[in-house]
Amino acid sequence: MEFPQARIGLRRSLHDLDGFFERLVFEDGHAKASFHHGVFLQLIKDILRNIVSRMVDIAGTVVGWFAGFFDDIPNAWDYDSAHKWYSEVESRNLRSLKGDTVASFEELTIANWLYLNGIAYEYEPTYEHKLTGTGRRAYTPDFRLTESGVYLEHFGVRKATQPDGTEELTTAPFIDRDASLEGMAWKRQVHAEHGTTLIETYSWENEEGRLLEALAEKVAPHVTLRPRPALEIYDSVTSLGVVDGFTSLIATFLRHFKNGGYHLDDCETKATTLKMGKRGDAFLKIFGAVYREYQDRLGDRIHFEDMVNRATALVESGRYESPFRHILVDEFQDISTGRARLIQALKTQHAETRIFAVGDDWQSIYRFAGSDIHIMRNFGREFGGVFAGHTGVHRTVDLGRTFRSVDKIALAARRFVLCNPAQITKTVVPAGEAEHPAIRIAWTRRETVDQVLDDTLKALAAEPPLPDRKATVLLLGRYRFIEPGMRSLRQRHPNLTITFKTIHASKGLEADHVVLLGADSARMGFPSMIVDDPLLALVSPEAEPFANAEERRVMYVAMTRARRTVKILASEARPSAFVTELLKDPAYDVASPGETQERTHICGQCGGRLLFMPGVDGPGWYRCEHIKHCGNRMPACPACGTGLPVRKEPKGEQICGECGAFQAPCPECPDGWLVERRGRYGAFPGCVRFPDCAGKSKLGHQAGKRTGA
């Protein structure tokens, strides 16, 4: 049994190469004693702050990065439905430097410019004059400049040249152009009648690349610019958590950069070839400054990737002669380019050397630490032997039996990860069989997240007890910030052993039950939208073409930590793409609250979903999932208080699917029904959606109980 001995011998021999294997140690308090990813991220954050404080040209680029000035902004004109566009906007979580959540990319650009220039503003304030008899909801302009009281409206219109040479204002395909232009005219009239000053900006200015230039010209007569110091801005965005994603990107880039032996000139050339534009230029400018200071702080010490690279150079040059003929590599799915080169160098020294690798490409989730899944997928080409004129000769043995998860978890997880055809196909033999669905979805709302988690733990505690111990529950989050109050949870559920881990930290662990938190569609949701940044292509030999490839493997790891059940807590308004996928395919056998699904309808205004909101002491109501953008609201059925009357064809009747009550349909819109309203001339049947719909009838239809479809 020489494999374990060879493994130990390799480690000892590498350790004996004095001067090349120092751990990452800094005298200023960072990363003392050992390398740690969290400390590494903090170090990058500190270096960034130091650069901002003393390098004016780099500081402006850093601030511009956080302000989104280098981002490629999606174009609303490229979307054919409001629902798709709203989903795109919401997934980005558009928070300004001030901390406001804004409704559009162009509003974000404006808000950040105002903040950077020290112009105090309110976002979407209620208009200072009371407006009555308008038939509209409350008027909330986009911005109010507090110093001067000037209002700022950004209008999403562009210019199009007609065949006769005239220009016409256009809106995105899913926007009612006439209604939009009417709204613009109404706002101008309101300000004119009440003597308030209105500044207007337009999407066509952004299309022409002069939105901020035009904004500066328009506000100049009304405000005094007081640009904020770059360091103040950096500290502000750090407190908002905005810096975290960027430092993670820089850290990942740096490790790949060192791992592959890249140079900045190489990256700049590649960025030009890949047409990464001003965003690529800005990132490399910042990264270059960070890298130089990082190397200065290292001094005579070395980074872990430096250690591997120097060891490889020793072996490749023959200054170190390998005594090994059998090399065992564990956790091979996490191998990096640099470490693969070291193993290849050791193998090349002796033709009879054999590589024995143990790994699972389904669990390759450490790209941020430099791992490259393509090395495992191309094992034969990289490490295979030569025999009878054939190269890449190797053998693969599947270890498919799991001693942890029941079939309804293990097989569902296998199906899920193999949606990516690049993953290596393996047979899975589960640990047992489950009679009922083992994967369940629980819907959350902003105000109910804690309660849903509490109810989930209560349900797990109520299950039949195990004979010799308390049931274990592993709470998993994509990021550390999602961790709930553990002390309180443990006090409320003493019959459970509850722990929290990030999914990456949970690798190798197991529990009776897994509760996955925050499976929402958001920039730092799950799947995360910040892990596969295109910039990493500059230091990666090959990108994975499959969408969310690594995040899918992270999901696989999360699911397979469970022995008996997996509970996924997801936003009802913004469920993640993974949750939607699991629910759509019956083969996964995933359970979700049936009552919630039955009370979800299509929003007639944007095509999104109308979600049922229970009433406190009375009938419930429905609101669009895109609450900030669409704002469509509908009362529940007046007969049962829970269902929603829906138009039935071909008769055009409005019938509640829950209780069968009939309502008189609105003649103006496809969703509303007529209820009694009172006006200056008495009662009349008007649309329940007023003021969004002004439909009415003089026929006096009365709603009544009726069954049938």
Side-chain angles (χ1 to χ4, degrees):
M1 294 295 293
E2 60 180 322
F3 287 163
Q5 295 166 359
R7 183 183 184 187
I8 295 170
L10 173 61
R11 286 181 173 175
R12 286 176 178 167
S13 296
L14 294 180
H15 180 72
D16 291 339
L17 294 174
D18 293 335
F20 294 98
F21 301 94
E22 299 178 56
R23 290 179 293 178
L24 183 64
V25 180
F26 291 105
E27 303 301 332
D28 60 359
H30 297 294
K32 284 185 177 177
S34 65
F35 180 89
H36 184 275
H37 186 64
V39 177
F40 184 41
L41 291 178
Q42 184 59 49
L43 173 61
I44 298 297
K45 193 180 296 186
D46 290 347
I47 289 176
L48 264 176
R49 188 178 190 278
N50 188 45
I51 289 171
V52 169
S53 68
R54 62 184 178 81
M55 300 176 66
V56 176
D57 59 330
I58 302 296
T61 306
V62 172
V63 168
W65 182 277
F66 293 127
F69 292 165
F70 307 118
D71 292 346
D72 293 324
I73 298 176
N75 181 2
W77 274 256
D78 292 336
Y79 290 74
D80 58 7
S81 77
H83 168 57
K84 292 178 182 177
W85 174 244
Y86 296 157
S87 298
E88 174 68 28
V89 173
E90 290 168 351
S91 71
R92 302 293 189 97
N93 188 25
L94 303 181
R95 291 185 72 195
S96 70
L97 296 174
K98 181 184 172 185
D100 299 310
T101 300
V102 299
S104 75
F105 294 94
E106 292 173 354
E107 285 185 6
L108 179 66
T109 300
I110 293 171
N112 285 342
W113 185 88
L114 295 173
Y115 180 82
L116 292 176
N117 287 285
I119 302 174
Y121 70 87
E122 298 173 75
Y123 180 67
E124 292 190 340
T126 300
Y127 186 57
E128 62 192 86
H129 296 287
K130 188 174 182 180
L131 306 179
T132 59
T134 64
R136 297 173 179 265
R137 297 186 185 276
Y139 175 38
T140 54
D142 293 332
F143 300 91
R144 180 178 181 272
L145 310 185
T146 53
E147 178 184 341
S148 59
V150 168
Y151 290 94
L152 170 60
E153 287 279 14
H154 180 71
F155 295 127
V157 291
R158 289 183 172 183
K159 293 178 179 178
T161 303
Q162 301 305 301
D164 62 0
T166 60
E167 286 187 332
E168 180 181 81
L169 295 181
T170 67
T171 57
F174 51 84
I175 299 294
D176 185 325
R177 175 181 175 276
D178 293 338
S180 181
L181 296 181
E182 179 186 337
M184 291 171 60
W186 178 80
K187 291 174 181 178
R188 290 166 180 158
Q189 180 182 347
V190 166
H191 288 281
E193 290 178 351
H194 293 86
T196 48
T197 302
L198 174 65
I199 293 175
E200 301 179 16
T201 55
Y202 313 94
S203 290
W204 83 64
E205 293 169 327
N206 187 62
E207 185 183 21
E208 294 171 354
R210 57 180 305 273
L211 174 60
L212 297 182
E213 179 185 342
L215 176 62
E217 293 172 356
K218 293 170 184 177
V219 302
H222 308 285
V223 299
T224 301
L225 301 187
R226 302 180 182 89
R228 298 177 189 271
L231 190 59
E232 176 188 328
I233 297 167
Y234 181 83
D235 289 341
S236 175
V237 296
T238 298
S239 67
L240 293 173
V242 177
V243 174
D244 295 343
F246 186 56
T247 52
S248 179
L249 174 61
I250 289 180
T252 302
F253 194 95
L254 191 151
R255 300 191 74 170
H256 281 280
F257 184 84
K258 280 180 168 288
N259 216 317
Y262 290 92
H263 298 88
L264 276 173
D265 290 345
D266 301 330
C267 295
E268 290 168 357
T269 301
K270 194 171 183 180
T272 301
T273 302
L274 296 176
K275 298 180 179 179
M276 291 189 168
K278 59 184 181 181
R279 185 170 185 267
D281 294 341
F283 177 80
L284 290 177
K285 183 177 180 180
I286 297 169
F287 174 76
V290 171
Y291 179 73
R292 286 187 290 272
E293 177 159 339
Y294 180 77
Q295 290 297 105
D296 288 343
R297 293 200 187 192
L298 274 178
D300 294 332
R301 293 168 290 273
I302 59 173
H303 188 97
F304 183 79
E305 273 68 30
D306 295 327
M307 177 184 75
V308 175
N309 291 339
R310 294 189 188 189
T312 303
L314 283 175
V315 178
E316 289 177 339
S317 66
R319 286 183 288 165
Y320 174 78
E321 185 175 345
S322 169
F324 307 116
R325 302 299 184 271
H326 298 282
I327 300 174
L328 169 62
V329 186
D330 198 10
E331 300 291 349
F332 193 76
Q333 75 278 352
D334 298 329
I335 196 166
S336 66
T337 303
R339 277 166 266 182
R341 280 184 56 213
L342 174 58
I343 295 170
Q344 187 64 266
L346 293 169
K347 178 180 182 297
T348 301
Q349 282 196 358
H350 306 284
E352 68 272 25
T353 300
R354 298 291 182 265
I355 309 297
F356 185 89
V358 181
D360 180 4
D361 73 309
W362 295 2
Q363 299 189 58
S364 177
I365 61 173
Y366 287 104
R367 188 185 185 195
F368 69 85
S371 65
D372 184 354
I373 192 174
H374 300 96
I375 298 171
M376 181 171 185
R377 289 177 179 165
N378 298 304
F379 180 84
R381 187 180 69 192
E382 298 289 337
F383 301 103
V386 178
F387 181 76
H390 297 282
T391 60
V393 177
H394 69 290
R395 181 185 177 193
T396 301
V397 178
D398 283 350
L399 302 176
R401 176 173 292 279
T402 173
F403 296 93
R404 179 185 303 145
S405 304
V406 295
D407 57 343
K408 291 185 182 295
I409 295 174
L411 299 181
R414 176 186 184 274
R415 180 183 183 85
F416 184 82
V417 77
L418 286 180
C419 285
N420 181 355
Q423 300 292 163
I424 300 172
T425 302
K426 294 183 282 287
T427 299
V428 171
V429 181
E433 297 182 356
E435 295 182 6
H436 305 290
I439 303 175
R440 295 179 174 272
I441 308 295
W443 295 127
T444 64
R445 291 171 180 165
R446 185 174 301 178
E447 68 278 7
T448 66
V449 172
D450 293 339
Q451 185 60 53
V452 172
L453 175 58
D454 212 51
D455 292 343
T456 296
L457 295 175
K458 285 180 183 177
L460 294 177
E463 290 193 0
L466 298 173
D468 55 348
R469 60 179 176 81
K470 294 191 291 185
T472 56
V473 180
L474 179 58
L475 308 182
L476 294 180
R478 180 60 182 82
Y479 292 101
R480 169 65 62 182
F481 70 79
I482 206 170
E483 180 178 1
M486 296 303 297
R487 184 175 182 179
S488 176
L489 284 178
R490 289 166 180 151
Q491 289 175 342
R492 293 199 301 274
H493 305 283
N495 295 329
L496 299 172
T497 300
I498 308 171
T499 56
F500 172 86
K501 295 285 184 182
T502 63
I503 301 174
H504 285 83
S506 75
K507 195 173 173 186
L509 303 180
E510 59 184 71
D512 297 314
H513 309 283
V514 161
V515 180
L516 180 57
L517 309 175
D520 306 336
S521 177
R523 189 163 177 79
M524 295 185 72
F526 188 37
S528 171
M529 298 181 183
I530 66 174
V531 296
D532 288 325
D533 196 294
L535 289 165
L536 294 176
L538 299 177
V539 285
S540 299
E542 183 182 351
E544 289 191 80
F546 196 80
N548 293 317
E550 180 158 289
E551 289 295 282
R552 184 171 290 270
R553 296 191 290 271
V554 175
M555 181 70 164
Y556 170 83
V557 169
M559 295 167 69
T560 54
R561 298 311 92 199
R563 300 188 191 99
R564 298 166 58 187
T565 70
V566 175
K567 193 68 169 279
I568 303 174
L569 274 54
S571 166
E572 184 180 4
R574 294 190 294 164
S576 80
F578 288 167
V579 170
T580 302
E581 180 180 335
L582 290 172
L583 287 173
K584 280 186 176 180
D585 189 344
Y588 288 118
D589 195 17
V590 172
S592 66
E595 180 181 272
T596 303
Q597 287 185 311
E598 292 171 4
R599 291 179 180 166
T600 300
H601 300 271
I602 300 299
C603 173
Q605 290 188 216
C606 74
R609 294 173 302 150
L610 286 176
L611 308 176
F612 178 68
M613 312 296 288
V616 179
D617 295 313
W621 52 285
Y622 288 78
R623 70 161 176 83
C624 180
E625 62 179 304
H626 305 299
I627 185 171
K628 188 173 183 64
H629 299 89
C630 176
N632 189 17
R633 296 166 57 102
M634 299 281 289
C637 172
C640 64
T642 54
L644 183 70
V646 178
R647 196 71 51 93
K648 299 289 186 180
E649 300 298 343
K651 296 182 180 180
E653 298 174 330
Q654 203 84 6
I655 300 175
C656 175
E658 197 151 328
C659 70
F662 168 79
Q663 307 298 329
C666 171
E668 297 294 331
C669 73
D671 301 318
W673 59 90
L674 298 177
V675 296
E676 184 178 286
R677 295 195 170 280
R678 304 194 71 83
R680 66 174 68 182
Y681 301 113
F684 67 95
C687 183
V688 73
R689 294 184 57 243
F690 180 84
D692 292 329
C693 175
K696 57 185 176 181
S697 173
K698 297 179 181 179
L699 300 179
H701 294 300
Q702 297 296 319
K705 183 77 175 177
R706 172 171 165 173
T707 58

